Amino acid sequence: MDNRATTERTPACNSTYPKGGVSCFSDTFVVAESSVLRMKFSGKNPALRVAAKRYQQYSMTKILKYIIFLFPILVFGQYPFEKFKSPKISSLEFKMTEKENRLNYSKVVKSFFKDKSDLEVTINGNTQNSKETYIEVKTKLKSNKYFEEIPAQGTDGFYIADFNGDGKKDFKIVCFYMGSGLASMNVRVIYFFQKENKDFTKISFDDKMEGNRIERDLNGDGNFEIITLNLQEYKNHNYWLFNLYNFVNGDLVCVNNKMNYPIMIQFLFKENYNVTKKLKRMEMKKYELKKPKELLIDN
């Protein structure tokens, strides 16, 4: 998950002088679960600035020692699957146009296909009625429309890669549902897997993300695993539940059994990347999802 910085302010004891009223205060910033101390000084009377500087030099020495002491624990964590190979991904931006209740996102991808011809993708969104939203995919010779009930304002990502390792480019769109709190992670993920003759299979489902979750090749077969996230309750505690899928023969197939998944990681109010030891892997398999939630397949 993304690191989030929070600020806690703790008043320090004032450093008081007979004249001039020089004072200092400290801010303690918690960054990536570690504290960093910052000191500020102010003073108006020139005759007393020497004393303030002496105090500042002493404080800066303490700060440096504090930072050096903490430096070894300022490391970035990662989930177990993030150590595996990812596909070569191109991240593109849509061009947005708005007219009345229509909100459209479009992008022309130059030389998308093997014959160097272009691909044009347009999301035709309706801000008043998401049921009228559809995705139009155009090639040089044909145009296809795919229904998707997605929020027009929530389109966040457009990614190109060969996700299933068949040598043909695919693309992926991520749309956020614009909630708050944990609900802000709710997304609609839409894959377009390229077939022969420049056609596509569309596969879409509900998921949770804070950004684009990158596919990984956990078993080295070249078909990158699609990793989904759900919140699972177990004995009055919440856990992040990760499942694995591959695109195979026009379908999304669960491959948890190949990599001893799913895994569960306890949801805490701090960064946590460790598979829980509060239940065994065999117990975690009880919560396996054979298919992602609200799965739609259009061949």
Side-chain angles (χ1 to χ4, degrees), residues 2-274:
D2 293 335
N3 292 333
R4 298 185 181 275
T6 59
T7 303
E8 301 174 357
R9 295 184 178 273
T10 306
C13 299
N14 286 340
S15 174
T16 306
Y17 295 82
K19 297 180 181 179
V22 180
S23 63
C24 71
F25 66 89
S26 69
D27 286 345
T28 303
F29 289 85
V30 181
V31 182
E33 307 306 327
S34 301
S35 299
V36 177
L37 184 66
R38 183 180 73 181
M39 306 294 293
K40 284 189 175 180
F41 296 85
S42 62
K44 296 297 183 180
N45 192 326
L48 299 177
R49 285 178 184 166
V50 174
K53 285 181 181 178
R54 284 201 303 268
Y55 187 78
Q56 186 175 13
Q57 290 169 357
Y58 172 73
S59 300
M60 288 304 297
T61 302
K62 289 181 63 179
I63 293 169
L64 289 173
K65 290 181 179 178
Y66 193 64
I67 293 173
I68 292 171
F69 174 76
L70 286 176
F71 181 78
I73 67 172
L74 291 175
V75 296
F76 294 100
Q78 64 175 189
Y79 292 113
F81 52 80
E82 290 181 316
K83 65 183 179 182
F84 294 96
K85 182 180 178 181
S86 62
K88 294 181 179 179
I89 299 176
S90 298
S91 178
L92 306 177
E93 292 185 1
F94 284 107
K95 177 183 178 181
M96 187 185 72
T97 58
E98 185 174 6
K99 185 178 180 180
E100 296 178 350
N101 64 329
R102 307 300 302 183
L103 187 60
N104 293 348
Y105 299 84
S106 61
K107 182 67 179 180
V108 175
V109 185
K110 297 292 184 180
S111 302
F112 180 86
F113 297 100
K114 287 186 176 181
D115 64 0
K116 303 301 180 182
S117 59
D118 300 342
L119 171 74
E120 182 177 357
V121 179
T122 303
I123 301 176
N124 296 275
N126 189 309
T127 58
Q128 302 299 318
N129 186 1
S130 60
K131 293 183 179 181
E132 295 184 9
T133 298
Y134 63 91
I135 300 172
E136 186 173 9
V137 178
K138 291 182 181 180
T139 64
K140 187 176 181 180
L141 299 177
K142 63 183 72 174
S143 176
N144 292 318
K145 294 180 180 179
Y146 302 86
F147 164 77
E148 274 295 339
E149 188 175 346
I150 53 178
Q153 297 95 335
T155 301
D156 185 70
F158 183 33
Y159 307 96
I160 296 174
D162 179 7
F163 295 113
N164 60 328
D166 64 353
K168 296 187 289 291
K169 290 181 182 178
D170 313 304
F171 67 93
K172 168 186 175 183
I173 299 171
V174 179
C175 297
F176 282 78
Y177 284 110
M178 311 297 284
S180 59
L182 285 178
S184 65
M185 297 175 64
N186 294 337
V187 297
R188 188 72 180 171
V189 181
I190 309 161
Y191 285 92
F192 285 82
F193 291 95
Q194 188 181 165
K195 301 188 292 185
E196 301 298 328
N197 302 318
K198 302 179 183 178
D199 285 329
F200 292 89
T201 294
K202 179 185 73 69
I203 290 184
S204 60
F205 52 86
D206 285 348
D207 200 0
K208 289 184 182 295
M209 293 185 186
E210 287 187 310
N212 179 40
R213 186 177 305 112
I214 298 174
E215 297 72 16
R216 303 285 174 170
D217 189 3
L218 277 72
N219 61 350
D221 66 352
N223 190 353
F224 293 91
E225 276 68 53
I226 294 171
I227 305 155
T228 66
L229 174 65
N230 298 94
L231 195 61
Q232 178 65 51
E233 188 272 338
Y234 174 75
K235 290 188 176 180
N236 298 319
H237 292 284
N238 287 319
Y239 295 82
W240 294 123
L241 174 69
F242 293 94
N243 286 271
L244 304 177
Y245 305 90
N246 279 151
F247 177 72
V248 180
N249 297 326
D251 194 9
L252 204 59
V253 179
C254 180
V255 292
N256 284 330
N257 60 322
K258 292 183 178 181
M259 272 70 76
N260 198 22
Y261 270 63
I263 59 172
M264 295 172 66
I265 295 174
Q266 189 170 4
F267 173 72
L268 303 172
F269 291 101
K270 63 179 182 179
E271 299 295 337
N272 181 25
Y273 302 95
N274 299 316

